[in-house]
């Protein structure tokens, strides 16, 4: 007697459903969209990857070859055509400043300074939390005679990154030159820089307090220190 074989659904081969044409088209479109969104970022990153060392050299206080600085600035301009980046645009402005520093006074120097200011301002409009970018813009404005604009940029540098060891002493120096144009709030921010710098480098602030020009302002700032901070200050330097 022949055996009867009953095949249930669980024994049968799995049924494969073909996606509908609409679903397939939607998936393909999504893939293309994701690729399109990621491709500009990838290209921009590739364009600037080999010039990061130039910025590290500048940050370390060394001056790379001018052609390297120009190449780094140009690569960031090319990258910006693919993807706008606040940091890269600010970096481009800083690199243009360095190019201007290596250019004799004249039309080309002025062009580079103007282009640097535009690039940094654009970078800050894209991403305002850049204390170093605001500081460079403050310096450019002061050099151009726009002291009110320099105060505004200095204020934003302090607000976007109050404790920055690379900037605090520089901000104090600039702030003391511009203090006559400051609102009380900005003066308070500058006094805060004095106290923060004292924590980092008390010997430098002590020397600054002994200068006729800065002494009264620094002393006023240090009066706002806590009792424990004042005691440590007196222990180090023998007076408030």
């Amino acid at each position: 007697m022949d055996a009867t074989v009953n095949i249930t659904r669980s024994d049968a081969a799995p049924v494969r459903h073909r996606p509908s044409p609409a679903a397939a088209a939607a998936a393909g479109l999504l893939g293309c969209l994701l690729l399109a969104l990621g491709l500009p970022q990838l290209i921009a990153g590739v364009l600037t990857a080999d010039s990061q060392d130039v910025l590290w050299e500048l940050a370390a206080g060394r001056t790379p070859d001018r052609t390297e600085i120009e190449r780094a600035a140009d690569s960031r301009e090319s990258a910006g055509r693919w993807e706008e980046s606040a940091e890269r645009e600010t970096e481009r402005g800083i690199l243009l400043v360095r190019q201007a520093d290596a250019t004799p006074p004249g039309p080309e120097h002025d062009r580079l300074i103007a282009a640097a200011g535009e690039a940094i301002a654009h970078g800050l409009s894209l991403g305002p939390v850049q204390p170093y970018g605001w500081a460079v813009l403050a310096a450019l404005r002061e050099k151009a005679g726009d002291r009110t604009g320099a105060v505004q940029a200095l204020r934003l540098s302090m607000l976007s990154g109050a404790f920055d060891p690379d900037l605090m002493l520089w901000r104090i120096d600039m702030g003391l030159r511009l203090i006559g144009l400051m609102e009380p709030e900005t003066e308070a921010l500058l006094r805060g820089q004095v106290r923060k710098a004292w924590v980092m480098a008390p010997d430098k602030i002590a020397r600054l307090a002994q200068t006729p020009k800065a002494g009264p302002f620094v002393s006023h700032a240090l009066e706002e220190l806590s009792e424990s901070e004042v005691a440590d200050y007196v222990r180090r330097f023998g007076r408030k």
Side-chain angles (χ1 to χ4, degrees):
M1 183 186 211
D2 294 335
T4 305
V5 179
N6 295 319
I7 302 177
T8 64
R9 180 171 293 274
S10 60
D11 298 321
V15 178
R16 299 184 182 277
H17 297 284
R18 296 172 62 86
S20 68
L29 181 61
L30 179 60
C32 291
L33 181 61
L34 291 174
L35 179 62
L37 290 173
L39 189 59
Q41 184 178 18
L42 175 63
I43 293 174
V46 169
L47 286 170
T48 57
D50 64 347
S51 60
Q52 287 298 121
D53 288 348
V54 175
L55 290 167
W56 286 114
E57 288 287 303
L58 292 172
R62 296 184 288 271
T63 303
D65 184 79
R66 174 169 177 157
T67 57
E68 293 181 358
I69 297 176
E70 291 176 358
R71 182 170 57 83
D74 291 344
S75 69
R76 277 153 182 78
E77 184 175 15
S78 299
R81 299 190 188 103
W82 288 94
E83 182 201 37
E84 281 196 320
S85 164
E87 290 75 16
R88 277 199 299 265
E89 191 67 4
T90 302
E91 289 170 357
R92 186 171 76 87
I94 292 169
L95 289 163
L96 289 169
V97 171
R98 294 295 187 160
Q99 283 184 244
D101 289 342
T103 303
E108 178 62 11
H109 175 274
D110 295 343
R111 184 192 70 79
L112 288 168
I113 289 294
E118 291 174 4
I120 293 172
H122 182 50
L124 292 168
S125 72
L126 295 173
V129 186
Q130 299 188 68
Y132 192 78
W134 285 114
V136 175
L137 186 61
L140 289 174
R141 287 176 174 177
E142 184 187 23
K143 189 173 183 180
D146 181 9
R147 290 165 55 83
T148 300
V151 169
Q152 294 169 350
L154 179 62
R155 174 179 174 273
L156 289 168
S157 178
M158 292 187 286
L159 285 173
S160 60
F163 193 93
D164 191 318
D166 294 330
L167 284 177
M168 290 187 296
L169 292 171
W170 180 90
R171 286 168 176 161
I172 293 167
D173 185 55
M174 170 175 267
L176 289 171
R177 293 196 301 271
L178 302 172
I179 198 165
L181 299 171
M182 289 183 182
E183 297 291 333
E185 179 200 358
T186 307
E187 280 195 38
L189 290 173
L190 188 62
R191 290 197 303 274
Q193 291 292 286
V194 172
R195 294 191 298 275
K196 290 176 175 63
W198 179 85
V199 172
M200 179 190 70
D203 54 333
K204 293 181 180 179
I205 297 301
R207 288 196 295 270
L208 189 61
Q210 295 170 4
T211 62
K213 180 180 178 181
F217 181 83
V218 172
S219 297
H220 183 196
L222 294 177
E223 286 172 0
E224 298 172 349
L225 288 163
S226 67
E227 290 184 6
S228 61
E229 290 171 328
V230 169
D232 186 48
Y233 184 87
V234 172
R235 179 182 61 80
R236 287 170 181 263
F237 303 107
R239 62 182 181 84
K240 287 202 231 178

